[in-house]
Amino acid sequence: MSASTTQSGPTLAGLGPQPLLLVEDDAPLRQMLSWDLTDLGYDVGAAAGCAEARRLVGRYPFRFALIDVRLPDGDGRELAAELTACYPALHVVLMSGDHVTHPPARPEQRIHAFLTKPVDIGIIHRLFTAAVGMLRPIDRERQPVWA
């Protein structure tokens, strides 16, 4: 799925489709996760790396982000810290195929978990669903193009 393509699925917790940024450099995995997340009620904007993710975040008001740690053009942890500093309403789950010890979740940066691939889409959905009660209103000046 390209960054310019998004899809809508059923609503999340009765709130309507929720915008989710997916940052994953492996194209087949990115596509599979996009489909699964769309089926769970997210509007998915997909990026293959940090630069593409920054462009998307500048255009769409994402509520959630699922970010791979090892990206071809940067570190997903640094991207997550940057994005949550600029967009405090963004909730993040990090993922990695590296099976070494991962840092703990960082609630102050709205990083809810650090998961090892292959990721369980149900766990990701539960983490984001738990965050729904903490959501701030979307900035109406930055409506997603796909809405």
Side-chain angles (χ1 to χ4, degrees), residues 104-117:
R106 309 267 320 258
E108 71 278 5
Q109 291 181 341
R110 294 194 179 262
I111 297 174
H112 296 281
F114 196 113
L115 305 176
T116 302
K117 293 179 193 175

Side-chain angles (χ1 to χ4, degrees), residues 6-45:
T6 58
Q7 302 172 3
S8 296
T11 64
L12 177 69
L15 297 176
Q18 295 294 301
L20 182 141
L21 173 66
L22 171 62
V23 188
E24 169 59 55
D25 59 315
D26 181 87
L29 178 57
R30 186 173 59 249
Q31 181 64 67
M32 182 194 70
L33 288 170
S34 293
W35 287 332
D36 288 346
L37 290 163
T38 297
D39 287 346
L40 289 170
Y42 299 94
D43 276 341
V44 178

Side-chain angles (χ1 to χ4, degrees), residues 52-62 83 87 142:
E52 191 174 5
R54 287 182 186 102
R55 283 191 298 275
L56 280 175
V57 168
R59 295 174 59 195
Y60 307 116
F62 291 103
L83 295 179
Y87 304 97
R142 295 180 52 212

Side-chain angles (χ1 to χ4, degrees), residues 52-105:
E52 191 174 5
R54 287 182 186 102
R55 283 191 298 275
L56 280 175
V57 168
R59 295 174 59 195
Y60 307 116
F62 291 103
R63 291 277 195 201
F64 306 106
L66 177 59
I67 302 174
D68 187 10
V69 169
R70 293 182 186 239
L71 296 164
D73 60 349
D75 185 310
R77 291 169 293 207
E78 292 174 11
L79 176 65
E82 174 188 330
L83 295 179
T84 57
C86 293
Y87 304 97
L90 184 68
H91 297 270
V92 178
V93 169
L94 295 171
M95 61 182 172
S96 177
D98 187 358
H99 294 267
V100 298
T101 304
H102 300 301

